[in-house]
Amino acid sequence: MSNGTENREQWGSRFGFIMAAAGSAVGLGNIWRFPYITGKNGGAAFVIVYALIVFTIGVSVMLAEFVIGRAAGLNAVGSFRKLKGGAWPIVGWMGVIAGFMILSFYGVIAGWTIAYMLKSFTGLMAAGAAGKAGDVFGAFVTNTPQVVAYQVLFMVITIWIVYKGIGEGIEKYCKIMMPALFVILAILIVRSITLPGAGKGLEFYLKPDFSKLTGAAVFAALGQAFFSLSLGMGCMITYGSYLSKKEILPSAAITVATLDTSVAFLAGFAIFPAVFAFGIEPGAGPGLTFVTLPNVFAKMPGGMIFSFLFFLLLFFAALTSSVSLLEVCVAYFKDELGWTRDKASWILGGIITALGVPSAISLKGNLKIAGKDFLDVMDWGSSNVLLPLGGIFIAVFAGWVWLESAKKEATNEGKNPFGWMSAWIWICRVVAPIAIAWIFVKGLKW
Ligand code: PHE
């Protein structure tokens, strides 16, 4: 038991840790979901509310996770067991289960990004030129063996990186992929906003419309902030457990949240100006990314290259998130059950891949549980149930149950005090539990 703390692996540098944590946060959720819900919920007005939530509740829960993880130096379950015991390890358990569930369907969708990188060169543009990218998408997702093949490929890459370890795997590759992601995003933004007619897209995306800022919009912002920052399932506890005692945690939490929010916000600049420049209706969700955008790229000179770059961007975003999901599970089996990293990575990765197959099959629309596609059930159960519940308990743990030690850990035993300490405590005590309980109760609607 808990062989994790002695000789525990550590991040090699602050930069490496920030890239890994930001890599976990920046994912599929940022690139297609954020721009679309912003466009729908009042543009700039929504961005303001979203940013407010991220920099109050989001940053506070993230700091709580870093603090818990670093203090214990263990996986999500072991951390609660070591710091408090009792029923608290159940919170870690829910996180591990959420890791299994999220990665099972995340791997399926992430596999599409590989398929689409290749398709950029093999017929997707020709179909898009005829406005037929929707047919390509429909034919692809209903071809289960193909979808599973790409899912397996994506999962093997994920498993291999996790198997290589913290420094030589996750950190090393996030240090390459995250900066590459920023460069690709910059190229796509410049291309998009310099197209004639791009202004209309910016107007659609950002024109503040306070009348759309309803309760539903605030609710959407909360849920999105939580999922996007990878909170509530012990990801940041696990990543925090590999941190050195010198690292200044409050500024790390702010940096990661800022990077995540910037990528989400900027993704809209890469997408909407181009969509409107070519007079195409902006679609929603998977449709926007896998149908609308190929139709748009097909109309651009050099569209093939931009299409490839866009799906490479999505692939990097997904991969740096998927490794964090698998690491939550691997760290648990390694610390608590004494498995080696090799064994844990390949066996758990294999189980999660198998668990994803029903999600892949359900894309054909004939594998449903109580009327919902299997993939949506996994998404709903993790995002609407396990993550918010985990978030409430993490905030309560830091704010009430384990407060004095949390304060010490957050300030490095008083050596690095931070100005917003009392705000952090009160957000953990009152604001975050109430706000997150609201996500939970409203999200329970099937
Ligand atoms: N934050 C990731 C995204 O936006 C998803 C994720 C959630 C990753 C929870 C890890 C843990 O896509």
Side-chain angles (χ1 to χ4, degrees):
M1 283 270 279
S2 58
N3 55 4
T5 28
E6 314 99 47
N7 307 321
R8 195 174 183 72
E9 296 169 86
Q10 268 204 1
W11 304 109
S13 64
R14 176 181 159 87
F15 176 73
F17 158 67
I18 297 283
M19 288 300 108
S24 169
V26 174
L28 296 171
N30 297 56
I31 301 186
W32 62 259
R33 196 154 179 271
F34 180 85
Y36 151 66
I37 58 173
T38 299
K40 199 178 100 178
N41 284 301
F46 178 83
V47 174
I48 295 168
V49 173
Y50 179 80
L52 265 174
I53 292 172
V54 166
F55 290 101
T56 52
I57 299 172
V59 169
S60 298
V61 176
M62 189 179 294
L63 177 57
E65 290 206 23
F66 284 160
V67 162
I68 293 168
R70 192 183 59 177
L74 283 171
N75 64 92
V77 179
S79 289
F80 283 105
R81 178 177 47 69
K82 180 167 167 186
L83 300 178
K84 195 73 200 177
W88 284 99
I90 295 173
V91 180
W93 259 106
M94 292 189 324
V96 175
I97 294 169
F100 273 84
M101 289 174 68
I102 297 176
L103 186 51
S104 74
F105 71 83
Y106 207 83
V108 173
I109 298 176
W112 302 355
T113 65
I114 304 179
Y116 268 69
M117 277 192 264
L118 302 176
K119 284 185 196 295
S120 301
F121 299 109
T122 57
L124 181 62
M125 292 301 105
K132 293 256 162 65
D135 296 352
V136 174
F137 182 69
F140 173 66
V141 295
T142 50
N143 183 341
T144 306
Q146 233 187 71
V147 171
V148 171
Y150 283 110
Q151 178 218 359
V152 169
L153 177 60
F154 179 84
M155 287 302 296
V156 168
I157 302 171
T158 300
I159 296 168
W160 186 81
I161 292 176
V162 172
Y163 143 82
K164 295 297 275 179
I166 296 302
E168 282 305 297
I170 296 179
E171 176 170 0
K172 183 167 155 190
Y173 292 100
C174 286
K175 260 164 49 183
I176 302 170
M177 285 189 278
M178 290 308 289
L181 182 150
F182 295 128
V183 172
I184 297 171
L185 187 58
I187 295 172
L188 292 174
I189 291 172
V190 171
R191 170 67 285 191
S192 183
I193 59 178
T194 53
L195 287 166
K200 278 187 296 216
L202 286 179
E203 195 180 311
F204 168 81
Y205 182 40
L206 292 177
K207 192 171 179 217
D209 181 351
F210 287 92
S211 73
K212 288 197 185 140
L213 262 194
T214 53
V218 177
F219 173 70
L222 249 164
Q224 171 69 12
F226 219 67
F227 185 81
S228 186
L229 293 171
S230 305
L231 297 176
M233 58 157 291
C235 238
M236 297 302 173
I237 295 183
T238 308
Y239 273 17
S241 76
Y242 303 116
L243 270 174
S244 95
K245 289 287 179 195
K246 289 198 215 81
E247 189 60 60
I248 298 174
L249 301 180
S251 75
I254 291 180
T255 308
V256 172
T258 306
L259 286 171
D260 184 61
T261 306
S262 310
V263 172
F265 182 59
L266 290 174
F269 286 82
I271 295 173
F272 290 116
V275 170
F276 278 79
F278 293 106
I280 290 174
E281 260 309 291
L288 174 62
T289 311
F290 294 95
V291 177
T292 311
L293 286 181
N295 284 334
V296 171
F297 291 133
K299 297 200 167 56
M300 273 180 200
M304 230 176 229
I305 303 294
F306 290 110
S307 171
F308 171 77
L309 282 176
F310 178 80
F311 290 108
L312 181 66
L313 170 81
L314 265 187
F315 170 70
F316 284 162
L319 187 57
T320 52
S321 297
S322 64
V323 293
S324 75
L325 288 158
L326 182 56
E327 180 59 27
V328 170
C329 307
V330 166
Y332 166 69
F333 277 76
K334 210 168 136 284
D335 295 345
E336 303 299 301
L337 305 174
W339 287 24
T340 60
R341 176 171 283 281
D342 306 18
K343 179 174 159 189
S345 310
W346 291 101
I347 292 186
L348 302 177
I351 294 173
I352 293 170
T353 308
L355 206 63
V357 172
S359 288
I361 295 172
S362 77
L363 296 170
K364 285 215 291 231
N366 54 8
L367 183 60
K368 294 185 191 289
I369 295 180
K372 263 184 188 262
D373 288 337
F374 190 85
L375 191 150
D376 298 329
V377 174
M378 295 302 248
D379 184 9
W380 181 86
S382 49
S383 316
N384 290 11
V385 181
L386 293 174
L387 297 192
L389 269 185
I392 295 172
F393 288 123
I394 289 164
V396 167
F397 187 78
W400 297 97
V401 178
W402 183 72
L403 181 63
E404 286 317 308
S405 314
K407 283 201 239 169
K408 275 200 205 126
E409 189 69 32
T411 56
N412 297 346
E413 308 284 332
K415 282 195 290 289
N416 303 104
F418 60 105
W420 47 286
M421 166 89 109
S422 28
W424 176 53
I425 293 166
W426 283 102
I427 289 171
C428 285
R429 292 192 140 193
V430 184
V431 183
I434 293 176
I436 304 168
W438 183 47
I439 315 187
F440 177 66
V441 172
K442 270 197 84 161
L444 278 186
K445 265 194 294 182
W446 184 250

